[in-house]
Amino acid sequence: CRFLAEKVVDLVFRKLGYPKPPRTLTRRKPIFGGKMGRFDDFMRKALRERPDRIGESVMRRLIFNYGSEYPRILRYIREDSAWGDTLPGSEEVLRAEMLHGVREEMACRLADVVARRTDLGCLGHPGEAALQACADIMAAELDWDQTRREREMSEAKAFFLPGGGK
């Protein structure tokens, strides 16, 4: 995406007749979660230091998804161990990831968190129990009333219908 963004900026400058665009700094700046040095060394260290209640496969997935920022997810679990539970229908997606999506990534739609900000919906509809659990977390965090909660559930279910995510 960085390469594409750079090409777009170059094109805009050219079309508007401006001189050469400023040099991009993004080639040297790590993306969010990218401060880890050699990935294999980072992974080994993180796996050695993982909390007891977090399985190795869960930890690996957290590192692949959040990179060097994975401790942000673990922070919720230190505050309340229940956030370390997996969501219904998943052996690896933690309740803390839903909370992180809302608190840190400004997610405000159930379908967005389930389908894009976690791995919960990456293989399709995660199941009614998973959507209910996620809606419960989001409703508590975002102070949804019952009407809003039901609307979010309906929209999330529709998202997973053929053509629904477009």
Side-chain angles (χ1 to χ4, degrees):
C1 290
R2 288 177 177 206
F3 176 76
L4 180 59
E6 186 177 339
K7 295 299 172 197
V8 168
V9 169
D10 290 349
L11 179 64
V12 167
F13 268 72
R14 216 172 33 253
K15 290 217 178 232
L16 293 177
Y18 291 122
K20 189 173 161 183
R23 265 185 6 151
T24 179
L25 302 176
T26 60
R27 287 185 187 207
R28 285 177 268 136
K29 183 178 174 88
I31 61 171
F32 181 81
K35 295 179 182 176
M36 62 183 79
R38 285 184 35 91
F39 182 77
D40 291 343
D41 295 340
F42 181 83
M43 177 70 82
R44 274 192 293 279
K45 182 177 186 295
L47 289 173
R48 274 194 316 272
E49 298 172 355
R50 72 183 158 82
D52 291 337
R53 79 170 301 197
I54 303 298
E56 185 174 319
S57 64
V58 171
M59 190 67 174
R60 283 182 183 281
R61 195 187 53 71
L62 289 176
I63 293 165
F64 276 110
N65 287 352
Y66 300 97
S68 60
E69 297 298 322
Y70 78 89
R72 290 176 177 235
I73 305 300
L74 299 181
R75 180 186 72 212
Y76 296 114
I77 299 166
R78 284 192 303 275
E79 292 171 7
D80 182 344
S81 64
W83 292 117
D85 294 342
T86 56
L87 288 159
S90 174
E91 295 178 2
E92 295 186 342
V93 180
L94 303 176
R95 296 173 61 81
E97 293 177 75
M98 291 296 299
L99 193 62
H100 176 79
V102 173
R103 290 185 181 176
E104 302 292 329
E105 298 176 346
M106 296 185 285
C108 58
R109 305 301 298 267
L110 178 60
D112 178 35
V113 176
V114 172
R116 295 184 192 96
R117 297 176 193 261
T118 67
D119 289 343
L120 193 60
C122 68
L123 296 177
H125 193 302
E128 185 73 19
L131 289 181
Q132 292 283 348
C134 295
D136 289 345
I137 293 167
M138 292 188 74
E141 282 296 305
L142 299 172
D143 199 29
W144 289 349
D145 61 17
Q146 189 60 28
T147 302
R148 172 71 187 268
R149 189 182 180 290
E150 289 171 7
R151 186 175 77 237
E152 291 292 333
M153 285 288 295
S154 294
E155 290 175 5
K157 289 175 188 176
F159 178 87
F160 290 103
L161 294 174
K166 294 180 180 174

